[in-house]
């Protein structure tokens, strides 16, 4: 039986950023493929029946496939410079939880199928659309639009998917697979401070606040940096930069709890002695009230158009993705609370595959304490004892869903069955 800590140690060097701390694990990359192969090998070692579906989602079945399946898992890709636990903690915990259930003999008594799942491109760091795998599965993104997405190198998702072993004409909503999922539980490192300083290592997700991404593209006139007077310039960098500088004030003025972020910019052609011809930035806005998100977007868009007009440049604004505020399935959360009575309910400002699936199948989340409160950065952390507490919580939840709590208790009476050290 593998400990979650030892499982994570097996991949702790995979995708380390050679330029500094953190990880580079883009979706549908050679690094993510290596991580996927690790998961497949671990699943095979456990005798699980594995497959990669038409949308690139990896499945490992502990029992024969069937209706009303209990599914758990997360993702293995990361944001640029991301932390160690965002995604992999949920995948390693799923494997460790399976080990506990198997060792206890509980799985032999279950009448519901159990599967572990790994979703690709959850972060959206390569193609700009977060939770791409789960969006394709549920039809939350049109397949043709997804296939036409391009990465920074100009490669389309269709071409990259082919290289990943997928068939573009099969990509898209998979109703039969969705219909077979009876409940989905995703464990994830907490990406905020909700558990910091508390006595609780694990929380239950209550909701995911509405969030979206927009692309602002400014175009002007490229020219010589030394021969073009300031009065004769149509510089998109100036207009875009002024727009970015106004974002914190505009978001706060709309609603004090709204958050708006620019974490990526692109200047073309990027020469130090060249007035750029184009500059783009990507805007992320989040708030529990979808109407407030729209108000923040409108305020920022209006200011961007004003700066573009003042600078003699053009600006176009397009939505890349949007997920409205999602509340996790009430009945499922009640069952989680019944086996984890001390776990607080926490809303999340971070998006997850469980949030996409929640509109289609009963879904829930468990958050494991992050003592730094920092995520999407190398300082993201999760203490060893908390990692194991997360597995223990997941085991209890899965046993409840599978209807094998008594079998699990019988197994525990015969010896250690937790996800802790053995």
């Amino acid at each position: 039986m593998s400990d979650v800590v030892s499982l994570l140690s097996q991949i702790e060097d995979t995708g380390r950023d050679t330029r500094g701390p953190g990880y580079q694990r883009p979706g549908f990359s050679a690094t993510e493929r290596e991580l996927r192969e690790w998961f497949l090998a671990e699943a095979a070692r456990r005798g699980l029946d594995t497959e990669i579906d038409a949308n690139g989602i990896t499945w490992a079945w502990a029992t024969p496939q069937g209706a009303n399946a209990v599914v758990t898992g997360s993702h293995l890709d990361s944001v640029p410079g991301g932390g160690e636990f965002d995604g992999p903690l949920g995948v390693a915990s799923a494997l460790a939880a399976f080990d506990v259930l198997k060792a206890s003999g509980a799985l032999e008594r279950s009448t519901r199928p159990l599967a572990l799942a790994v979703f690709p491109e959850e972060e959206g760091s390569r193609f700009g659309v977060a939770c791409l795998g789960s969006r394709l599965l549920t039809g939350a993104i049109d397949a043709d639009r997804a296939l036409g997405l391009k990465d920074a190198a100009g490669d389309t998702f269709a071409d990259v998917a082919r290289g990943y072993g997928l068939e573009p004409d099969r990509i898209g909503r998979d109703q039969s697979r969705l219909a077979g999922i009876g409940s989905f539980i995703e464990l994830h490192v907490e990406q905020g401070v909700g558990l910091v300083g508390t006595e609780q290592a694990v929380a239950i997700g209550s909701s995911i606040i509405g969030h979206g991404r927009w692309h602002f593209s400014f175009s002007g006139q490229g020219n010589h940096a030394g021969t073009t007077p300031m009065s004769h310039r149509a510089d998109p960098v100036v207009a875009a930069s002024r727009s970015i500088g106004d974002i914190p004030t505009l978001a706060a003025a709309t609603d004090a709890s709204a958050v708006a972020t620019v974490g990526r910019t692109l200047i073309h052609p990027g020469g130090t002695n060249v007035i750029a011809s184009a500059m783009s930035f990507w805007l992320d806005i989040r708030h529990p009230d979808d109407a407030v998100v729209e108000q923040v977007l409108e305020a920022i868009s209006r200011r961007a158009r004003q700066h573009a007009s003042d600078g003699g440049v053009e600006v176009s604004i397009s939505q890349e993705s949007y997920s409205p505020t999602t509340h996790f399935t009430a009945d499922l959360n009640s069952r989680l609370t019944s086996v984890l009575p001390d776990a607080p309910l926490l809303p999340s400002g971070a998006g997850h595959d469980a949030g996409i699936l929640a509109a289609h199948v009963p879904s829930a989340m468990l958050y494991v304490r992050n003592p730094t409160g920092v995520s999407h950065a190398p300082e993201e952390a999760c203490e060893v004892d908390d990692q194991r507490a997360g597995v223990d919580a997941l085991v209890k939840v899965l046993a409840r869903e599978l209807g094998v709590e008594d079998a699990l208790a019988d197994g525990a009476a015969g010896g250690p069955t937790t996800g802790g050290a053995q």
Side-chain angles (χ1 to χ4, degrees), residues 145-388:
R145 183 196 163 208
L147 292 169
L149 294 172
K150 292 184 179 180
D151 63 14
D155 295 323
T156 66
F157 175 58
D159 289 339
V160 171
R162 288 189 190 94
Y164 209 70
L166 305 181
E167 300 175 27
D169 60 354
R170 295 182 59 222
I171 285 173
R173 180 179 170 87
D174 189 340
Q175 179 56 40
S176 62
R177 191 173 294 274
L178 280 173
I181 301 174
S183 53
F184 175 69
I185 299 97
E186 180 175 4
L187 180 146
H188 204 280
V189 67
E190 191 200 354
Q191 296 181 278
V193 297
L195 291 173
V196 175
T198 74
E199 297 298 317
Q200 302 301 320
V202 179
I204 298 169
S206 60
S207 62
I208 295 177
I209 69 173
H211 58 282
R213 297 180 184 180
W214 290 265
H215 179 214
F216 284 62
S217 178
F218 293 77
S219 58
Q221 177 61 60
N223 215 327
H224 196 290
T227 63
T228 310
M230 301 303 290
S231 59
H232 286 67
R233 299 187 178 200
D235 190 342
V237 174
V238 174
S241 299
R242 287 174 174 166
S243 301
I244 293 171
D246 287 341
I247 286 172
T249 300
L250 293 171
T254 304
D255 190 290
S257 60
V259 291
T261 306
V262 173
R264 180 187 174 198
T265 63
L266 182 64
I267 297 175
H268 180 79
T272 56
N273 60 347
V274 177
I275 299 170
S277 59
M279 176 171 172
S280 293
F281 65 77
W282 283 261
L283 174 68
D284 182 300
I285 306 174
R286 307 186 186 215
H287 191 275
D289 186 339
D290 297 327
V292 172
V293 173
E294 184 63 32
Q295 292 165 14
V296 174
L297 174 64
E298 176 55 32
I300 295 171
S301 299
R302 186 165 55 247
R303 187 65 58 85
R305 294 186 183 101
Q306 177 184 326
H307 286 310
S309 177
D310 292 344
V313 302
E314 300 292 330
V315 61
S316 64
I317 303 167
S318 59
Q319 178 179 294
E320 291 201 334
S321 66
Y322 188 73
S323 298
T325 294
T326 299
H327 296 277
F328 289 113
T329 310
D331 290 346
L332 180 54
N333 263 8
S334 293
R335 296 197 293 274
L336 266 65
T337 300
S338 71
V339 295
L340 302 172
D342 296 327
L345 286 169
L346 286 183
S348 175
H352 300 283
D353 290 305
I356 302 299
L357 290 171
H360 305 271
V361 300
S363 301
M365 289 199 71
L366 297 175
Y367 298 123
V368 182
R369 181 167 48 195
N370 172 356
T372 68
V374 175
S375 190
H376 282 187
E379 292 79 12
E380 177 183 272
C382 187
E383 300 293 342
V384 165
D385 287 346
D386 288 353
Q387 294 174 41
R388 291 170 175 153

Side-chain angles (χ1 to χ4, degrees), residues 9-73:
S9 71
Q10 295 173 18
I11 58 172
E12 63 182 354
D13 292 326
T14 306
R16 280 195 184 275
D17 194 337
T18 58
R19 301 167 299 179
Y23 290 85
Q24 296 284 347
R25 294 166 167 172
F28 293 100
S29 65
T31 300
E32 190 192 37
R33 185 190 297 270
E34 184 178 346
L35 292 166
R36 182 187 69 177
E37 292 303 319
W38 163 79
F39 173 77
L40 287 170
E42 286 298 314
R45 191 164 67 83
R46 290 162 170 78
L48 305 182
D49 184 14
T50 61
E51 62 169 329
I52 299 172
D53 71 14
N55 294 308
I57 303 167
T58 305
W59 301 83
W61 291 88
T63 53
Q65 295 188 37
N68 201 28
V70 178
V71 182
T72 187

